[in-house]
Amino acid sequence: MLTRPMMLMMAVSLSGLLGFYLLFSTVPLYAASGGGGESGAGLSTGAMMLSTVLMELAVPWLLARLGYRAVMALGLVLLGLPALALPLSPALPLVAAVSLLRGGGLGVIVVTGTALTAELVPAERRGEGLGLYGIAVGIPSILGLPLGLWSAGTFGFTPVFLVAGLVPLVGLAAALGLPSTRPARSRGEGGAGLRGLTAPTLVFASVTVAVGVLVTFLPLAGSPELASVALLMQSLGTPAARWWAGRFGDRHGSARLLAPGVLAAAAGMALQVWLDGPVPVVAGMALFGAGFGVLQNATLAVMFERGSVSRVSAVWNLAFDAGMGVGATGFGLLAGHTGYPLGFALVAALVAATLPLTRQAALPPEPAPAGDAPLGKVGKAG
């Protein structure tokens, strides 16, 4: 599976996402320090996730016209250049504008990387291939989330912003070696295909809501130092669980992992109610990370059984980023009325409420409509 295009694609994704994760929890703190408060912190993440979702809707169209290489390069530029403007001011209008541009770059990178992975790996090992990709894109979160928070507290915000802006631009060298191919168009995939994606999408979206809440507000709810350790544990557990879930799914079926993933994520979220307890906070984030990683792979593999590469990649990443945006923005408004412990408990209940959907998501997929392009085939760039 580790072909040259696969290695280059993972290098591009790693550089882009490292720039993203360095600022994911740092920018909300920066916005709050500029007078934005909790609502400003939530808005900075929400604005980025909004533009991510909007761009993800456009990525299949861009891929069909420009090909993988050009679209990946566009994503790196959008993630890198705007971050270099952040040292100018912590004022909310500037932070929100930068977040909107960087969110567009994130949408490009995640949809294109997921789709290209599905194209490059053998169909019978797709779960493992997606797990391997998950490890590669998990490295930036392992390094970036805690390192961004620690560096901002130790050296100040400006050095973090400069590094986070330059790292994606370095990845342009690897992007030049990506295939210039573009996904083959699929025909006939209509409402039936979308209905088949609904249940796994909702299951996954519920846990990404929790992710948006945790990465934005866990540093604000308690000790930033404890939050850094807890987020590191989550970041370590997620890619490992995602890779394991891929190997298990290829052999035994990914659908049977959906319910355990939901239960682990809900339990881990519920443990965050004890904000001042290092053991429940860190152990809970490790458990949440494991459930999140399992659901990342299992929902994506189940969805690839039901739809074409570009559509599934776009829908799955929409669930990922829309959920994080809704979680960050909504919880920013909710926490002022409920406080953090009750708010975290309500988010845990939301994740657990999707458990009945895991049974529906595990049902065998409907036969593919006539005329659909086979998964894994790519058309040559014009």
Side-chain angles (χ1 to χ4, degrees), residues 38 53 65 128 179 198 256 279 312 347-348 353-354 368:
E38 292 179 346
V53 167
R65 284 152 182 81
E128 185 178 357
T198 300
R256 65 178 60 189
V279 173
V312 167
V347 175
T354 65

Side-chain angles (χ1 to χ4, degrees), residues 78-105:
L78 288 175
L79 272 172
L81 282 181
L84 300 177
L86 283 171
L88 297 176
S89 172
L92 191 56
L94 174 63
V95 173
V98 169
S99 297
L100 285 169
L101 291 172
R102 296 184 70 246

Side-chain angles (χ1 to χ4, degrees), residues 326-349:
V326 168
T329 306
F331 194 84
L333 301 174
L334 176 69
H337 301 284
T338 64
Y340 288 114
L342 178 56
F344 288 159
L346 292 174
V347 175

Side-chain angles (χ1 to χ4, degrees), residues 20-52:
F20 165 73
Y21 278 111
L22 279 170
L23 301 188
F24 195 19
S25 291
T26 307
V27 167
L29 286 176
Y30 186 59
S33 73
E38 292 179 346
S39 60
L43 182 60
S44 66
T45 301
M48 182 167 59
M49 292 300 102
L50 173 63
S51 65
T52 299

Side-chain angles (χ1 to χ4, degrees), residues 47-359:
M48 182 167 59
M49 292 300 102
L50 173 63
S51 65
T52 299
V53 167
L54 294 177
M55 180 61 82
E56 284 168 346
L57 293 171
V59 170
W61 180 87
L62 289 172
L63 286 173
R65 284 152 182 81
L66 302 177
Y68 287 109
R69 181 191 301 161
V71 175
M72 271 293 213
L74 172 64
L76 291 174
V77 171
L78 288 175
L79 272 172
L81 282 181
L84 300 177
L86 283 171
L88 297 176
S89 172
L92 191 56
L94 174 63
V95 173
V98 169
S99 297
L100 285 169
L101 291 172
R102 296 184 70 246
L106 175 64
V108 168
I109 293 294
V110 295
V111 172
T112 308
T114 305
L116 186 54
T117 298
E119 301 270 21
L120 293 174
V121 300
E124 67 275 9
R125 298 182 68 188
R126 184 166 294 121
E128 185 178 357
L130 293 170
L132 185 63
Y133 173 70
I135 291 177
V137 299
I139 291 172
S141 66
I142 293 171
L143 297 175
L145 277 174
L147 184 59
L149 285 172
W150 177 83
S151 298
T154 304
F155 305 110
F157 288 108
T158 296
V160 182
F161 295 153
L162 295 178
V163 171
L166 293 174
V167 167
L169 299 180
V170 172
L172 288 170
L176 295 175
L178 291 177
S180 60
T181 52
R182 55 195 182 191
R185 297 179 181 179
S186 64
R187 304 176 303 276
E189 190 182 54
L194 285 175
R195 285 194 297 273
L197 302 179
T198 300
T201 298
L202 290 175
V203 169
F204 187 56
S206 72
V207 78
T208 64
V209 166
V211 174
V213 170
L214 290 169
V215 298
T216 304
F217 291 101
L218 193 60
L220 300 175
S223 163
E225 292 77 13
L226 177 58
S228 295
V229 175
L231 288 170
L232 175 61
M233 293 302 298
Q234 180 260 311
S235 299
L236 288 170
T238 295
R242 186 173 179 178
W243 175 79
W244 174 85
R247 290 180 59 86
F248 181 94
D250 283 343
R251 291 158 175 77
H252 307 290
S254 298
R256 65 178 60 189
L257 292 172
L258 295 174
V262 167
L263 290 173
M269 184 74 220
L271 287 172
Q272 303 312 304
V273 168
W274 288 274
L275 292 173
D276 298 324
V279 173
V281 169
V282 174
M285 285 300 291
L287 182 59
F288 178 86
F292 183 38
V294 166
L295 289 174
Q296 280 185 342
N297 195 290
T299 54
L300 187 55
V302 166
M303 291 168 71
F304 273 134
E305 297 172 1
R306 292 160 167 78
S308 61
V309 166
S310 59
R311 169 166 286 183
V312 167
S313 182
V315 170
W316 186 84
N317 282 289
L318 277 169
F320 199 138
D321 300 314
M324 287 200 295
V326 168
T329 306
F331 194 84
L333 301 174
L334 176 69
H337 301 284
T338 64
Y340 288 114
L342 178 56
F344 288 159
L346 292 174
V347 175
L350 172 66
V351 175
T354 65
L355 193 59
L357 290 174
T358 62
R359 184 174 182 181

